[in-house]
Amino acid sequence: MAGGKIFQPNTKIRLTNVSVVRLRKGGKRFEVACYKNKVTEWRTGVEKDIDEVLQIHQVHMNVSKGQVAKTDVLKQCFETEDVDKVIFEILKHGEQQVSDKERQHQLDNMFRDIATVVMEMCINPKTRQQYTVTMVEKAMTEVHYSVNTNRGTKQQALDVIRQLQERGTIPIARAQMRVRVVMPAKDGKRLKKDITDLISAMEDEDHGEMYEYVCLIDPGKYRAMTELVGKETRGAGEVVVLSLDTKDDDNVSQDVSQADAL
């Protein structure tokens, strides 16, 4: 060989524009390379596909230097050679490495996302109008709400609503959904108490061959209502969304999807 040099394969893989999640275990440092913003989505359940989170399906000792962890080191520290298990542990328990600027940008975006969800879910009970996102953000600042990037925006929006109600920062209440519940008369009589337990107010009740209720319910109870009616009537009944109890009914379908998710 020329110059007496022996070719050595380069096992280092260099990655750029990554978000690193780091975990110390057994006295050693382990890292996985992820796409930016995907770690939070995976931890909160928004992203389910691990391949959309990882830039490369490997465990590193040092991502920036491209040093891949050896199998015997994984076995020593994690008591397994299964790379997938190690990756999941690092993603779940590791610390995401971001710059101060990136972290603040992430917090600001999530703060606004939470405020947007609160705006969509609630109204001012005195005026029956929705607040603007800016007004909700101001109220969140007044109660010194601290964003947790490891929790979902909807979970945190419910926390914000509770804190605003407890402290009386602004008058706020969940927007009510006006629904029509229709089912055979025999089921209507039998299920009346169960239905009454789920509603906020009964606006109208009519019964003949079919039992019909027009009532207001909390969006969070919409799924329970549809499941009750569907199961107990074996598909013979239905729950129809008429409107939101606000002066703006354009977001009914959006609120229904939110109710299903809560």
Side-chain angles (χ1 to χ4, degrees), residues 33-230:
C34 306
Y35 292 103
K36 290 187 176 181
N37 303 322
K38 285 296 184 178
V39 176
T40 298
E41 291 183 4
W42 184 82
R43 285 177 169 173
T44 56
V46 174
E47 179 60 66
K48 306 291 186 182
D49 187 351
I50 194 67
D51 291 329
E52 294 295 321
V53 179
L54 299 175
Q55 284 217 17
I56 187 168
H57 211 93
Q58 287 181 329
V59 178
H60 292 75
M61 304 299 291
N62 188 309
V63 168
S64 62
K65 294 181 179 180
Q67 296 175 349
V68 179
K70 296 180 179 179
T71 302
D72 60 336
V73 176
L74 297 182
K75 178 68 174 177
Q76 176 188 347
C77 296
F78 291 91
E79 299 182 352
T80 181
E81 297 179 1
D82 189 325
V83 173
D84 286 342
K85 289 183 179 179
V86 176
I87 287 174
F88 277 109
E89 182 169 345
I90 295 172
L91 281 176
K92 184 176 180 180
H93 301 292
E95 181 180 351
Q96 188 174 6
Q97 309 299 302
V98 295
S99 67
D100 291 341
K101 184 177 180 180
E102 287 176 321
R103 187 178 298 277
Q104 190 57 52
H105 181 68
Q106 185 181 33
L107 290 172
D108 290 343
N109 283 345
M110 182 165 275
F111 190 88
R112 187 165 185 83
D113 288 344
I114 294 169
T116 300
V117 174
V118 173
M119 180 273 293
E120 292 171 345
M121 293 170 64
C122 297
I123 60 171
N124 180 331
K126 296 180 179 179
T127 65
R128 315 308 297 175
Q129 294 277 21
Q130 288 181 306
Y131 287 105
T132 64
V133 173
T134 302
M135 294 170 72
V136 176
E137 286 181 311
K138 182 179 178 182
M140 289 170 63
T141 301
E142 290 179 10
V143 298
H144 305 290
Y145 187 78
S146 180
V147 171
N148 183 342
T149 56
N150 291 327
R151 298 182 64 212
T153 53
K154 290 180 180 178
Q155 289 178 312
Q156 294 187 77
L158 294 174
D159 287 343
V160 169
I161 295 168
R162 177 180 54 78
Q163 289 189 29
L164 295 178
Q165 289 174 333
E166 289 177 352
R167 302 188 187 188
T169 310
I170 55 175
I172 191 167
R174 292 287 298 274
Q176 299 288 294
M177 297 172 69
R178 180 173 286 103
V179 300
R180 177 183 289 115
V181 184
V182 182
M183 67 188 74
K186 60 182 180 65
D187 295 317
K189 295 176 182 178
R190 179 171 56 87
L191 297 175
K192 183 173 182 178
K193 183 181 184 304
D194 294 323
I195 290 172
T196 303
D197 289 342
L198 290 173
I199 70 174
S200 302
M202 182 75 72
E203 292 192 340
D204 192 21
E205 180 179 351
D206 187 28
H207 50 86
E209 292 185 4
M210 300 294 287
Y211 233 88
E212 181 176 318
Y213 303 100
V214 176
C215 49
L216 297 178
I217 64 170
D218 186 298
K221 295 182 178 179
Y222 174 79
R223 174 180 289 181
M225 177 71 81
T226 57
E227 289 180 349
L228 171 70
V229 173

